[in-house]
Amino acid sequence: MRPTRTTTAKVSNYNENESLDSDLSFDHTVSSDEELEEWRPPEPKTIKTPKDPAARVKKVAAKRTAKPRVPKEPKVSRAPKPSVSKKPAAKPKAAASKIKNPGVSASFGTEKKWTDENCCENNSKTEAGDLEEGTVDKSGSDIGMKEERLSFIVSEAHKTDEWAAAGSSQAGPPLKKEEATEEDFTFDEPCLKKQKTCQGQRTTLLEPKVQSLKNEFSMNWDMAELLSSMACVEMWVCRNIIMLLREENTIPFIVRYRKEMINHMDADTVRDVQMIYEELCTLVKKTQSVIQTLKKDGVLTLELEQSIRSCRSADELDHVYSPYKKGSKLTKARRAKALGLEEAAIALMNTPHTLDLRAWVKPDTEGLSSVEEVATGMAHILADTIAKDPETLTYIKTLCERSFVTIQSSVSKTALKEKEQKQAAQDHNKARVEQNSNKDIDKFHLYFDFTCNIQRIQSHQTLAINRGENLKLLTVKVNIPDRVQNDFTLWCLNNRWRPKTFAREELQTIITNAVKDSYKRLILPFLTRNYRTKLTSAAEKESIAMFVRNLRQRLLVCPVRGCVIMGVDPGFRHGCKLAILSPTGQILHADVVYLHNSGQQREAEKLRHFMIKYSCTKVVIGNGTACRETESFFADLISRRFFNPLDVSYCITNEAGASIYSVSPEAVKEMPDLDPNLRSAVSIGRRVQDPLAELVKIDPKHIGIGTYQHDVSAGALKAALDGVVQECVSFVGVDINICSETLMRHVAGLNAGRARNIAEWREKNGSFINREQLNLVKGMGPKSYQQCAGFIRINPQTLNSVNSSSQSAPAASEKPLAKKSKGKTGASIPTSLNPLDQTCIHPESYHVAQRFLSLVGGNVDQIGSTGLRSCVESKVKTSCVEELAKAVDTTPETLRLIIDGLTQPPGFDIRQNFGQADFKRGIVSMSDLQVGAVLTGRVDNTTLFGAFVDIGVGRAGLIHKSNITLNKLPISKQRRSLALGPGERVEVQVLNVDAQRGRIGLDLIRVLQ
């Protein structure tokens, strides 16, 4: 017997942590739908002293319990790292003798597998060391606290996972991470997650909580450790986020009031961590269910249970569990095993010199009637084993990473057939139908002969190819070079799947045929599915990130306050619907005018009458049908000074979703006596008056942002967009006495039921005088109050303007009697006004705010005044924030928030830093454009391939992503994947004008601040 060989594959360069963020892992995904039942879990391994805590999943069957506990002291010594790859080599034979599971076929090349898996464990240990070193390095950095009033970073791009980069990380001694400066960025690559590193002591969990967390999940891996590696976030931050989420804290509350616990991460990063955490929790539940099922079926062994509890993804769990599922079809390998050829296949690899194929021939049995059938059955068993061997899959993946793998799309035969039928059709109706179908085909003409490197393909290209394939217009395939197959075959025959003893020529031919069959029938489809799945997953994440950023900037457009506005929903046959709105959004008048028929002068006089009667100087026109004609009509009237003495101007706004909202239950409840056609004009006008309050009434998918919304996961998109709406509403804040019930639903900690109860309490008892009165509302428990209180404002000016304010105090004292069962009494709820309730300061920090006011010599009645602001600024200059925080017994993060709340002027709105809608008095047509002309415009929408800019000619121009370069962007926007978002004002130059197709090409000159 020859000594055990160790393979030369790049096994140590690939491990589970490298691709955990991708949907499918090459090591742990079932090779094909046909071969679902054949895999058997790996046997437990006996390893003496693994230093990575994750390695403990491998050693349950071993009886040593003293030594493995010692290395659990993780972050102390890293000196042994350079020699980790040398340890496993001494253990393979001892480990191979421990295999006890009789249900698993005798594992061809067992010793080689043990060697490989030991290497993987040491590689995992090295990566854990990298993570720990990076953690220590970050904690000692000197990144300063960014002074800002916003509790989230609007300009921060959503991090996109690049699966293709997963294979580039190399095992070995960890490199010291260098701290990036503020200007350090890589524009063409996804930006790192936004994290600030605090200089003070970390706010970490107590050890009993950490231990209880481990015991509860009952897995062979640590939740926080795995979450840290998958989300690229420090482990102590992950532990804090897990506990905060388990305590039912909302993301807006965590980001604003628990900054020190999450290392100043923004809302997008916390949401990413939350999504990964929820996926892992689902995995834990599924693992428990699988274990119970296997236990009920009587097939659960200790080794199998440990393998299941070691799974780190749903795909890995399915890979382990699939051989034990009931009701799957019989594969070629299973049919061969059913004939009893498994023993012969084992002998073919272990003792081929003793194997006689004729001894297995049974003339009366189908599948064993000849030597050829016996050889074919053995080849099927061996091919199935090769396709499911982790080391083999790792090697083929490394070969693909070093090769030029491409994705190719071409027009499908079905599409060509439809095109030919259209050309041959004589009937007019049939020709028209085929013309519509042909129009869809022409949309994909860029992908009729498309080939791209799989690591360089853009996200929008992936989604477009997927859509064309779903419509049966495109045929897509992944091209892997033939060299990969040749190298793979040689490696299998000479290394991994080489017989242990001499094999005769006919037996060697069986092994060669099995390797080739395994690659062609099982491994190649497996690789193709994995590439396509990973590309789609990365593209969906990028698309959802674009949706999130566009929606946030659309919601945070600065409102137009203090003026009467006319909303216009343009139309031809049914006229233009008008709605005149007061400065507070109340409907003053609604009517229909026919501006594009005969009698335009009469309708113009009608318009002037309305404008002068209500002193309306702003007109908002929806960008739907007849928008351009309506804009021309108003521009002509303004140029002739038709509305004198009023100085009238107009703007164009996006009316996407207005028609859907006009017939929704919310619109019917809000405007029951108004015609649905007129409701859309009201919605268009209010979108400029207060975009946030109006757009939250509409499903985010209908607002007209982003691209490919029907090609991404509907659940993931809805969760992300709903989270953004909640963040925007919460961070802006709501005046509880005047905001709508619909807006209240999106405040952190509230839902539809609690918002309805608040509205009913307000209607019955009058205005809220302070935040504590929220505790009197039905369904408002301590946790709900904690989450929402900091985002709700009690504005004294609004309170004085409400007629029922005088009755609110006695009503409040009677309300608690109905809720005595919950321990709430009217005596505990004050009925006086608290000036701190108009700020962003959370009630839990009111006592700290009072101490700070005493320290600077101010009082609550001076909130927002110039005098208090100067006192605070002088105090901060003489003593740093950290020293002041110690003096008032709080954290620097909380004190900074208190300083913001005390110094911000009354009625402060974070949206005042964002641009308003652009009002104009003249019109420019597309025919007036000339190549080289320099214009200013506002970004209307951003996509994965560029930004569309409204330059006032009725058709948005496109700035291609290749023209958005670093030297044209301010530093604050250079870290973002596309750097532009809806609402941003830009200066552009016209590159080309295609009047026939209605396309305008633009080049970005600069972003206007």
Side-chain angles (χ1 to χ4, degrees), residues 648-754:
V648 178
S649 58
Y650 69 90
C651 74
I652 308 296
T653 191
N654 192 322
E655 67 172 30
S659 299
I660 297 176
Y661 166 71
S662 64
V663 294
S664 65
E666 288 83 0
V668 173
K669 182 179 179 181
E670 186 179 0
M671 298 171 280
D673 301 327
L674 204 60
D675 183 86
N677 293 321
L678 297 175
R679 291 174 190 156
S680 61
V682 175
S683 177
I684 290 173
R686 288 176 174 172
R687 290 185 182 200
V688 174
Q689 275 192 324
D690 194 343
L692 179 62
E694 188 63 24
L695 291 177
V696 295
K697 304 175 184 177
I698 304 169
D699 190 331
K701 292 184 295 184
H702 299 148
I703 296 179
I705 54 173
T707 53
Y708 298 100
Q709 70 180 48
H710 301 294
D711 299 290
V712 301
S713 171
L717 179 61
K718 184 179 187 305
L721 297 184
D722 289 347
V724 172
V725 173
Q726 186 187 64
E727 292 160 22
C728 293
V729 173
S730 300
F731 292 146
V732 170
V734 298
D735 190 334
I736 194 66
N737 289 319
I738 62 173
C739 71
S740 65
E741 179 183 327
T742 305
L743 187 62
M744 277 191 288
R745 295 175 187 172
H746 299 284
V747 177
L750 301 183
N751 53 26
R754 297 189 186 106

Side-chain angles (χ1 to χ4, degrees), residues 872-887:
V872 171
E873 290 176 354
S874 61
K875 191 68 175 179
V876 172
K877 287 181 180 179
T878 55
S879 302
C880 66
V881 175
E882 287 73 17
E883 294 179 359
L884 293 175
K886 292 180 180 179

